[in-house]
Amino acid sequence: MEQIREGQAKTAGVSAVPLLAVSRGVGRSGSSVQSGSVQSGSVQSGTISGDLITQLRVLEEMKSAISGLQAQIAVAFDLAQRAEQAGAGVPAAERGKGVGAQVALARRESPNRGARLLGLAKALVMEMPRTLAALSKGQLNEWRATLLVKETACLSVEDRAAVDAELAPDTGTFEGFGDRALVAAVKAAAYRRDPRSVAQRASHAATERSVSLRPAPDTMTYLTALLPVAQGVAAYAALTRAADAARSSGDPRGRGQVMADTLAERLTGTPSGIAGVELQLVMTDRTLFQGDSEPARLHGYGIVPAEWVRTLIGAEEPLAGAGTKARADEEQDFAVWVRRLYTAPGSGELLAMDSKARLFPHRHRRFIQARDHTCRTPYCDAPIRHIDHIVPWHSGGTTTLANGAGLCEACNHTKENPGWTATPLPAATHTLHITTPTGHTYHSKAPPLPGHRPTRT
């Protein structure tokens, strides 16, 4: 068989492809998968291409089956943790805290994602057995199982189970369905079961309105607003009218550009769209003063090109030190405050910072934010909301830079749960050693600062 495949590869003019040893005796139609001649112009089932497509399909089904098994293990872990916490005297209301965070670390996901995966697992295992069966059989992937769970979240346990039985996903109900078609079918079934709950969910959704900001490529960002439909449509219509008016008056900008600029101007109240906010940039002195190409880091965004930074702050004009003003362009002035950050020559570890007549607690927070950039929990890149002790104050931890870490709100609360410990390690780069209630350990290193490369260990 290997000789045949090698000959096929040579004939096709491609290098030999390593194929997985996957056993599959029966096809989806129930008939055996056999090699043989087919109609002229089609790919034979015994070719390398056919084998590769078969393997992709089998691997996809294996991924779904593994997701189903992970869901069952996550629920078993949750029950085991609750039982152990009960045995340790933890109050009933406090049991289960930190379970989602441990699931996240084990799956190398963010804590927020871990909590959602645990919720998905509970719904599948305890309330939607046929959807779980479809996932385990490879008929649904984890994302589509998530859609089924999400669209039935407003129902009671009994109604959710009834919708699960009505749709019977494990029988292939959604074979060939796209995401929208699947969601539509689940919504219809949920509405038939409990129209009042579905309507209440729609009215409650307005309380979840929010605005978020996340990085986009090439020094751009996604500013996203989740709004009630009437407000969203009205806001978009207003931007559309502004763009149409500008274009009709000869504005050379594209329609989307006008809408984006109008949104920024109306929100900030300034023609340039930049209000009196602080942008925290971390860069080397070479980047700022000598035209070096080493990129900088913008707090709340990430890595940005050196030339873009110099253009933003108007570094073509000399900066004498803290408090110097520089022009960014002909329309906007920026007050540029330069604060020196001292790093170790070899590792790039942040050691100290200029004190410019500021209170110690504030300087402490600024230092740690510059060092950590985002939440220090592994796999969590949420913005820093809390600056807290690594070894808690009540356990003898000191208020020092080495014993401080930047965390998001959820992770800071999680580390206070029973069984969680964290300690700073002596290392060239600031490192945390985290131990979970199960005894598993994880390390978190501060990200490298501009101008320094991470060291290999």
Side-chain angles (χ1 to χ4, degrees):
M1 185 64 181
E2 292 300 325
Q3 293 177 347
I4 294 174
R5 285 177 175 166
E6 289 177 5
Q8 290 172 335
K10 291 178 181 178
T11 303
V14 298
S15 59
V17 180
L19 299 178
L20 298 175
V22 178
S23 300
R24 185 179 177 84
V26 180
R28 294 188 63 81
S29 62
S31 60
S32 299
V33 178
Q34 300 177 353
S35 300
S37 300
V38 292
Q39 293 181 357
S40 176
S42 61
V43 178
Q44 294 185 0
S45 59
T47 64
I48 289 179
S49 296
D51 285 344
L52 292 174
I53 287 296
T54 298
Q55 289 183 55
L56 285 175
R57 179 62 178 173
V58 172
L59 289 172
E60 187 63 29
E61 292 179 355
M62 289 172 62
K63 283 166 56 182
S64 296
I66 290 171
S67 295
L69 183 58
Q70 283 181 315
Q72 296 175 67
I73 292 173
V75 172
F77 173 67
D78 179 64
L79 295 174
Q81 281 278 282
R82 290 174 182 273
E84 292 168 8
Q85 290 170 354
V90 176
E94 300 294 319
R95 295 170 196 166
K97 287 188 175 180
V99 172
Q102 294 180 74
V103 170
L105 287 169
R107 294 193 57 171
R108 298 182 177 177
E109 298 279 6
S110 70
N112 180 270
R113 172 74 172 156
R116 286 189 280 122
L117 287 170
L118 179 59
L120 169 67
K122 289 181 178 180
L124 290 173
V125 173
M126 299 178 177
E127 301 170 12
M128 304 182 72
R130 304 201 70 162
T131 300
L132 176 62
L135 179 64
S136 300
K137 292 178 182 178
Q139 295 170 322
L140 292 174
N141 58 27
E142 190 174 49
W143 169 244
R144 293 192 171 179
T146 301
L147 293 177
L148 282 161
V149 170
K150 179 181 177 182
E151 295 302 328
T152 56
C154 62
L155 302 178
S156 64
V157 174
E158 294 77 13
D159 284 337
R160 175 180 257 180
V163 169
D164 182 59
E166 176 187 337
L167 298 177
D170 59 321
T171 63
T173 306
F174 299 116
E175 184 70 29
F177 275 41
D179 290 352
R180 290 185 179 181
L182 183 146
V183 168
V186 180
K187 280 184 174 180
Y191 188 78
R192 285 194 296 270
R193 285 283 168 185
D194 191 353
R196 176 174 296 180
S197 292
V198 175
Q200 288 176 344
R201 176 185 174 184
S203 62
H204 175 74
T207 64
E208 299 177 352
R209 60 192 182 276
S210 61
V211 177
S212 61
L213 183 73
R214 57 192 176 93
D218 305 322
T219 65
M220 301 290 281
T221 56
Y222 295 105
L223 176 64
T224 305
L226 179 63
L227 299 171
V229 63
Q231 295 179 13
V233 170
Y236 188 81
L239 294 174
T240 301
R241 287 194 300 270
D244 291 340
R247 294 282 291 168
S248 62
S249 63
D251 194 314
R253 292 173 296 172
R255 193 164 180 268
Q257 293 174 329
V258 176
M259 293 175 69
D261 293 345
T262 302
L263 173 65
E265 290 170 8
R266 292 184 179 180
L267 287 176
T268 62
T270 62
S272 64
I274 300 177
V277 296
E278 183 180 63
L279 299 177
Q280 297 182 37
L281 287 158
V282 180
M283 70 194 82
T284 66
D285 55 347
R286 303 181 305 278
T287 295
L288 182 58
F289 295 114
Q290 301 175 13
D292 192 78
S293 61
E294 181 68 37
R297 193 173 73 191
L298 176 61
H299 183 68
Y301 178 84
I303 299 299
V304 290
E307 185 176 352
W308 180 88
V309 171
R310 288 191 291 269
T311 301
L312 176 68
I313 65 175
E316 67 276 2
E317 295 187 17
L319 295 178
T324 302
K325 274 201 167 186
R327 292 192 60 83
D329 51 44
E330 294 182 356
E331 298 179 355
Q332 181 73 38
D333 283 335
F334 284 91
V336 180
W337 295 81
V338 179
R339 178 179 291 105
R340 291 172 293 181
L341 306 175
Y342 297 95
T343 61
S347 64
E349 169 75 346
L350 195 58
L351 301 177
M353 179 176 66
D354 270 354
S355 59
K356 295 293 181 182
R358 293 180 182 268
L359 296 176
F360 175 76
H362 183 68
R363 289 186 288 111
H364 188 108
R365 291 193 296 270
R366 294 286 294 271
F367 181 97
I368 293 175
Q369 285 177 337
R371 182 194 67 197
D372 294 350
H373 187 52
T374 58
C375 177
R376 284 293 298 278
T377 299
Y379 314 113
C380 181
D381 55 3
I384 294 174
R385 300 300 184 202
H386 292 178
I387 304 293
D388 204 356
H389 298 80
I390 299 171
V391 178
W393 175 265
H394 58 75
S395 299
T398 56
T399 307
T400 60
L401 295 174
N403 192 46
L407 298 169
C408 68
E409 184 175 358
C411 289
N412 192 38
H413 292 321
T414 296
K415 74 179 182 64
E416 299 299 327
N417 291 322
W420 289 79
T421 61
T423 54
L425 295 180
T429 301
H430 190 263
T431 304
L432 308 184
H433 179 81
I434 301 170
T435 305
T436 67
T438 59
H440 290 81
T441 60
Y442 303 87
H443 286 176
S444 168
K445 284 190 174 183
L449 290 166
H452 294 274
R453 304 291 185 269
T455 57
R456 294 181 181 272
T457 56

